[in-house]
Amino acid sequence: MSSDTSAGKTLPGDPLPKGAPPGGRRAIAVWSVGVSVYFVAVIFRTSLGVAGLDAADRFHVNASALSTFSILQLLVYAGMQIPVGLLVDRLGTKKVLGIGVVLFTVGQLGFAFSPSYGMALASRALLGCGDAMTFISVLRLGTRWFPARRGPMVAQLAGLVGMAGNLVSTLVLARLLHGIGWTAAFAGSALAGVVVFVLLLLFLKDHPEGHEPEPLPHQGAAYVRRQIATSWREPGTRLGLWVHFTTQFPAMVFLLLWGMPFLVDAQGLSRATAGGLLTLVVLSNMTVGLVYGQIIARHHAARLPLALGTVGATALLWAATLAYPADHAPMWLLVVLCTVLGACGPASMIGFDFARPANPPERQGTASGITNMGGFVASMTTLFAVGVLLDATGDDYTVAFSSVFVLQAVGVSQILRLRKRAARRERERLVASRVETVHVPV
């Protein structure tokens, strides 16, 4: 029996190429430690989504100032993506994840005890900095421990675990917040950061034995510029960024901050009912993530149709909800909207499936960082736009939430512009890899 080996390219169903990570139980155990760090980071990241109204009362701020919490957090997160990608490529996963855990745990503790709006802002910025170091590291961990053909499913599972963290925020942290109070809820949740830090120190390894990456010569600023420029020149990297940009942000904006105020203030629901709908977004995300991962692993050509289909469905349901000819949209429509919003996260993961085959292993962290910037830049822009428009229009959510369509239009136009170039480049790489095929006995 023989197998095809190439630079990170393995077709579904092929045997493992020579030198490919073995996967298996050991890989699952190590990867689970890394994913647990990301799980906690998402709990901390989304904790403001269930505490938005409480934060407005605690710090006596309006909609624009409230949105600044999430905007600053995402600004730091997005701005850190390329530096984090470079750090992961240089230092490895364990060191970068360790730094991230310390930062986001201190940020969560600071938010718990912040006596003022300014200190709370600083705490969220610190949290965003630590959070930024988690997902790219987990993606890199997956590529080091699992064969390339498992990439789409491993990435979707990582996203699913992240959404489970969102679920904890929605169900557990929200109840703690209203049961034991602001300080106790946020400070108590910070203990989870300590737990995963200990697990990381004891059990996480960057790669399996015998699969050490080639050492990268460090050339200072020249190395950094080359990594970024070479990754950016690949159409697949840029397409991945725009897919992530266009698909992720509607659900992110809804879950991170504006979903609860919209459902309570604009739709007249109770907090409990609104929390149930936010939970539905998360559950839908987890279910769709498994489906999308299986489809893409078996049918690589389904990537773009799934991404664009998700954008179209999201825009349609968003418009139907905002334009409903009554004071409040019916519950069935809100349920369908939240179900469709759940597909946004899994669709954004498709962006990495364009960037991954476009770049060799030594650039995976940098390329993933560029891709991951997309959705967070879009989310940050929309969070700001919604806050400003709400203040300017006297809390008119129809006008404020319509800003979503502008960013979707920009993103779709870029996807359509890049799709043919990315597909042609990917075919060229596949042909080249077949020419250089090495047959090894298995």
Side-chain angles (χ1 to χ4, degrees), residues 156 163 244 247-248 251 285 292 310 341-350:
Q156 288 288 353
M163 290 309 296
H244 199 269
T247 52
Q248 186 202 48
N285 183 297
Y292 278 17
T310 302
L341 284 175
C344 291
S348 72
M349 299 300 297
I350 296 172

Side-chain angles (χ1 to χ4, degrees), residues 51-62 66 69 182 271:
L53 297 175
D54 300 87
D57 293 337
R58 180 179 177 87
F59 300 111
H60 310 293
V61 294
N62 60 14
L66 182 61
F69 277 122
W182 178 283
R271 286 197 181 200

Side-chain angles (χ1 to χ4, degrees), residues 59 69 110-111 113-125:
F59 300 111
F69 277 122
F111 197 59
F113 293 102
S114 294
S116 65
Y117 176 69
M119 186 172 291
L121 275 179
S123 297
R124 295 306 286 187

Side-chain angles (χ1 to χ4, degrees), residues 38-39 57 122 133 150 165 285 298 312 318 320 322 327 379 429:
Y38 177 56
F39 171 76
D57 293 337
M133 298 183 174
R150 305 296 185 196
N285 183 297
R298 288 171 169 78
W318 200 273
L322 296 180
D327 291 340
S379 298
R429 283 182 175 273

Side-chain angles (χ1 to χ4, degrees), residues 172-343:
V172 179
L173 190 58
R175 293 182 180 179
L176 287 175
L177 188 65
H178 299 122
I180 62 178
W182 178 283
T183 300
F186 281 101
S189 67
L191 293 175
V194 178
V195 173
V196 294
F197 184 67
V198 173
L199 291 175
L200 182 150
L201 291 178
L202 293 177
F203 302 113
L204 193 134
K205 290 187 64 177
D206 284 340
H207 46 74
E209 295 293 337
H211 293 269
E212 293 81 2
E214 291 292 329
L216 294 175
H218 183 58
Q219 299 175 355
Y223 163 80
V224 172
R225 286 195 300 269
R226 186 173 61 252
Q227 284 285 93
I228 296 173
T230 310
S231 297
W232 181 256
R233 279 199 296 268
E234 289 292 344
T237 304
R238 283 176 280 145
L239 179 60
L241 178 146
W242 285 108
V243 167
H244 199 269
F245 177 101
T246 314
T247 52
Q248 186 202 48
F249 78 95
M252 176 74 70
V253 168
F254 202 78
L255 288 171
L256 200 60
L257 184 60
W258 292 120
M260 181 69 78
F262 170 73
L263 294 172
V264 173
D265 296 339
Q267 298 301 319
L269 302 180
S270 67
R271 286 197 181 200
T273 303
L277 287 174
L278 294 180
T279 303
L280 176 61
V281 177
V282 177
L283 293 175
S284 173
N285 183 297
M286 297 171 73
T287 303
V288 174
L290 290 174
V291 174
Y292 278 17
Q294 291 285 354
I295 291 174
I296 295 170
R298 288 171 169 78
H299 308 285
H300 218 47
R303 292 173 297 172
L304 204 56
L306 283 176
L308 292 176
T310 302
V311 174
T314 302
L316 178 64
L317 269 298
W318 200 273
T321 302
L322 296 180
Y324 194 80
D327 291 340
H328 300 144
M331 180 58 69
W332 67 265
L333 182 55
L334 295 176
V335 168
V336 176
L337 170 67
C338 290
T339 303
V340 170
L341 284 175

Side-chain angles (χ1 to χ4, degrees), residues 48 129 232 263 276 371 397 402 422 441:
L48 187 60
C129 187
W232 181 256
L263 294 172
T371 300
Y397 278 90
S402 293

